[in-house]
Amino acid sequence: MKKTGFFSKLYIALMLIFMQMPIIVLMVYSFNDAASRANWGGFSLRWYEAMFRDATVMNSLWVTLACGILAAVLATVIGTLAAIGLNSMKKRAYSATIAVAYLPMLNAEIVTGVSLFMLYTKLNMQLGFVTLLISHITFCLPYVILSVMPKVRQFDYSKYEAAIDLGAKPSYAITRIMLPELAPGIISGFILSLTLSIDDFVISKFTTGNGVDNLSTLIYSAKGGFGGMPQKISALSTVIYVVVLTILIINYLRTRKSDRENLF
Amino acid sequence: MEKTAGKRTVHSSQRQGAAKFLALPLIIWLAVFVIVPLFLVCCYGFTAEGADGTLHFSFENFARFTEPIYVKIMVRSLKIALISTVICLVLGYPAAYIMSRSSSKIRTLIILLILMPMWMNFMLRIHAWLTLLENGGLINTLLAAMGLEKVEFLGSEGAVVLGMVYNFLPFMIMSIYMVLLKLDNSLLEAAYDLGATPVQRFIKIIIPFSVPGILSGISMVFVPSVTTFAISQYFSNGTVRLIGDTIEKQFGAANNWNFGAAISIVVMVIVMLSMFAINKVDDGDIGERKMII
């Protein structure tokens, strides 16, 4: 083992460099004063200022966050209720529902995007925030079900029945007895939905329009690179990177040492 | 499975009967936003407009797909996706293996750093690569500063492969890693005690054990690689057209839903076939691994 130790470390180091390098270069360049990315014009925060002043960039950031949070909340609610319901369904109905629910996860994203685009057009729905949100909920649902389902299966129903026998209403028994035990699954479903929604491009591309852009579609439509857009986007990337990294580090430090092993 | 099935029958008492209605919102949602849209895709794919403007059942759209230009695009998409998948496997396997053997503290840190870019945004990742590779980008600036000639990085199939590998490699690494993590060390020790060489242990134990991870990794890289359009457009400056670009065009500039739907059906069949080919891995497994990312 010792002999391979050095090469293993080297390999992992190279892998990390490969994954991180583009973003680090991007971050360094976001402080470049020059208007072109080709040369270094000294340190400056001008692109950060320009980014915060740019209404389209700021709007797309809000659309991304609002859509992410709303989609995650709604998908988590629908998905958690469904997981509880699915568990008490007959085997056949259960399998059929799960198979359909997993379709958006297993299918190619472009097909999901195109099919939803056709639906909205046929229903005369104006493409925009609502259609974007509906689409994001649709592709988040399978992940919520997947995270909550194992917890529902582990849940000991006799606790629920005991509560009912003691006179609790089913709604009370579910919220007070069942949900706390499902909480870890619900939380991971929520976080997963949020990250998937923020990351998505393909489905968003087909299901938004009329000037409503999230980050992905904004960058896509600004392909030409006019008006210093690439630099502003680089500045925004840096902000996002720092925020995500901070959250991850806090999360890492907060997790008790013994639990860190089980983090992944 | 047996256990849960048993549980379900024991507890499907009248009290719990009402619980199944909790799935109703989901079922309605799926009917409206999954089944109806896919039904629409099939409707459009299998119909064509006649001379009198009426719709009729037809395989016309699929026939059009067999024209040489589209066959070429399809073959190119499959080829590039296959190359990307193989590269991801070759690069990802050692990484996953090393990670699964390292101490848990370092492991978590490595995973955080490898997955970090995946928590940003797909288009931001592409944007980052362009900063490096484009004509006025960092690498060419450095080359010029060293008195070397500029290299046209973007615009080739190789560049598209690079874009795919960067974006989908974490899927492969995590898939294999999750499986290798479950490998019991005592199995390897037993093999060692019985006189197996490291190579034998690797070929006879570690590789067979990781097959489910390899298979789900392959599908998680292959499916998005076949169908992407943003990566090909950016990394090839629009010169390498893939099947995803063709679909996108039918719902945009070309505005031919029937043809676009037909290609989507072909893509769906390819996805299903690749899922079927790895049927040993059930749906939940792939989902679970996707979840980590």
Side-chain angles (χ1 to χ4, degrees):
Chain A
M1 265 287 141
K2 273 229 157 118
K3 230 169 85 189
T4 56
F6 171 73
F7 289 104
S8 299
K9 275 181 202 147
L10 182 70
Y11 190 81
I12 290 291
L14 287 174
M15 205 54 113
L16 292 181
I17 290 172
F18 176 63
M19 291 311 291
Q20 296 279 332
M21 176 194 54
I23 296 166
I24 290 170
V25 168
L26 186 76
M27 293 200 289
V28 171
Y29 264 65
S30 72
F31 296 105
N32 184 3
D33 193 44
S36 138
R37 283 195 273 184
N39 48 16
W40 180 257
F43 179 88
S44 132
L45 290 173
R46 67 183 271 212
W47 298 116
Y48 287 83
E49 202 201 334
M51 164 197 91
F52 282 115
R53 283 219 184 126
D54 188 325
T56 47
V57 174
M58 284 296 110
N59 269 336
S60 76
L61 186 60
W62 298 136
V63 168
T64 306
L65 290 176
C67 177
I69 291 169
L70 283 173
V73 168
L74 292 169
T76 307
V77 171
I78 300 173
T80 304
L81 290 177
I84 299 171
L86 281 166
N87 197 42
S88 57
M89 269 159 71
K90 296 234 167 64
K91 182 109 209 323
R92 260 218 179 125
Y94 169 87
S95 313
T97 315
I98 286 284
V100 178
Y102 284 178
L103 269 179
M105 178 173 76
L106 300 173
N107 205 346
E109 279 183 307
I110 194 169
V111 178
T112 307
V114 160
S115 71
L116 283 166
F117 167 76
M118 292 170 93
L119 176 79
Y120 302 140
T121 314
K122 281 280 140 196
L123 292 177
N124 277 326
M125 287 171 83
Q126 223 187 18
L127 294 183
F129 189 77
V130 175
T131 51
L132 185 70
L133 179 61
I134 292 174
S135 315
H136 280 222
I137 293 172
T138 307
F139 74 70
C140 287
L141 276 172
Y143 295 94
V144 174
I145 296 172
L146 208 55
S147 348
V148 180
M149 210 59 195
K151 298 286 167 199
V152 175
R153 290 217 176 120
Q154 279 166 21
F155 180 71
D156 182 0
Y157 272 93
S158 52
K159 284 186 194 164
Y160 171 87
E161 304 203 333
I164 302 272
D165 288 339
L166 293 169
K169 282 187 195 145
S171 57
Y172 186 89
I174 285 178
T175 48
R176 291 299 172 91
I177 311 290
M178 201 168 180
L179 285 187
E181 289 206 18
L182 306 185
I186 296 174
I187 292 169
S188 72
F190 175 83
I191 292 173
L192 197 60
S193 300
L194 187 63
T195 48
L196 284 169
S197 169
I198 291 174
D199 191 65
D200 178 71
F201 163 69
V202 177
I203 293 173
S204 305
K205 156 84 178 67
F206 287 103
T207 54
T208 189
N210 295 302
V212 178
D213 270 319
N214 63 13
L215 267 178
S216 319
T217 58
L218 177 80
I219 302 174
Y220 184 76
S221 58
K223 237 192 299 195
F226 43 84
M229 197 49 116
Q231 287 88 342
K232 288 183 218 167
I233 289 167
S234 303
L236 186 60
S237 304
T238 309
V239 175
I240 295 176
Y241 187 89
V242 171
V243 169
V244 174
L245 193 65
T246 314
I247 295 172
L248 286 177
I249 289 173
I250 291 172
N251 192 35
Y252 178 73
L253 295 177
R254 255 190 40 194
T255 329
R256 270 180 299 128
K257 251 194 180 150
S258 56
D259 290 342
R260 275 184 203 165
E261 284 175 47
N262 306 324
L263 209 56
F264 293 100
Chain B
M1 207 57 216
E2 246 172 39
K3 223 172 159 185
T4 49
K7 226 178 189 173
R8 215 172 286 140
T9 45
V10 170
H11 292 285
S12 317
S13 55
Q14 282 155 323
R15 262 179 203 154
Q16 251 204 67
K20 63 172 169 254
F21 291 106
L22 292 176
L24 208 57
L26 174 79
I27 292 170
I28 295 169
W29 191 280
L30 294 179
V32 180
F33 298 113
V34 176
I35 294 180
V36 172
L38 289 179
F39 180 72
L40 273 175
V41 170
C42 291
C43 282
Y44 272 86
F46 286 104
T47 54
E49 212 169 299
D52 52 351
T54 56
L55 287 174
H56 58 91
F57 180 83
S58 148
F59 285 109
E60 221 171 90
N61 307 305
F62 293 94
R64 188 174 162 201
F65 194 65
T66 58
E67 286 172 17
I69 172 173
Y70 296 113
V71 172
K72 221 169 128 190
I73 292 176
M74 190 75 231
V75 170
R76 184 191 297 144
S77 300
L78 290 172
K79 185 186 84 188
I80 290 182
L82 202 67
I83 294 172
S84 308
T85 311
V86 170
I87 293 178
C88 281
L89 181 60
V90 171
L91 288 180
Y93 199 100
Y97 178 73
I98 296 167
M99 277 157 62
S100 74
R101 301 284 105 190
S102 50
S103 79
S104 61
K105 219 165 84 190
I106 295 170
R107 191 154 74 196
T108 313
L109 202 65
I110 297 171
I111 293 174
L112 279 184
L113 289 172
I114 285 187
L115 293 189
M116 180 72 217
M118 308 303 281
W119 276 311
M120 292 180 68
N121 174 288
F122 175 73
M123 290 306 292
L124 285 182
R125 292 195 290 276
I126 292 185
H127 175 73
W129 269 103
L130 298 189
T131 309
L132 277 177
L133 297 182
E134 66 191 358
N135 257 340
L138 179 71
I139 296 181
N140 271 326
T141 310
L142 289 179
L143 286 179
M146 289 188 291
L148 297 168
E149 248 180 74
K150 284 193 174 187
V151 180
E152 191 88 38
F153 288 108
L154 302 172
S156 64
E157 291 188 0
V160 177
V161 169
L162 170 69
M164 289 183 182
V165 169
Y166 182 75
N167 271 290
F168 307 131
L169 179 63
F171 293 125
M172 183 66 86
I173 296 180
M174 290 311 288
S175 276
I176 298 169
Y177 165 77
M178 296 286 289
V179 173
L180 283 178
L181 209 53
K182 293 181 199 146
L183 179 61
D184 193 346
N185 238 340
S186 53
L187 209 63
L188 294 174
E189 280 161 20
Y192 179 77
D193 291 343
L194 292 170
T197 63
V199 177
Q200 277 177 323
R201 277 187 287 168
F202 193 72
I203 292 172
K204 297 249 165 126
I205 300 176
I206 298 171
I207 293 206
F209 188 84
S210 55
V211 164
I214 293 175
L215 290 178
S216 74
I218 288 175
S219 85
M220 282 169 61
V221 173
F222 188 74
V223 170
S225 302
V226 170
T227 56
T228 183
F229 60 96
I231 294 176
S232 49
Q233 284 174 11
Y234 277 86
F235 282 80
S236 77
N237 284 327
T239 55
V240 177
R241 278 187 52 204
L242 301 183
I243 201 70
D245 300 300
T246 315
I247 297 179
E248 193 244 7
K249 203 175 146 204
Q250 305 311 316
F251 290 93
N255 198 22
N256 185 344
W257 285 24
N258 299 85
F259 187 43
I263 311 175
S264 301
I265 294 171
V266 174
V267 165
M268 261 196 283
V269 171
I270 293 174
V271 171
M272 269 188 268
L273 285 179
S274 63
M275 294 280 168
F276 182 74
I278 54 158
N279 64 353
K280 280 200 165 172
V281 189
D282 70 44
D283 308 347
D285 269 6
I286 293 174
E288 261 165 48
R289 291 189 188 102
K290 263 193 177 174
M291 273 172 56
I292 306 303
I293 296 158

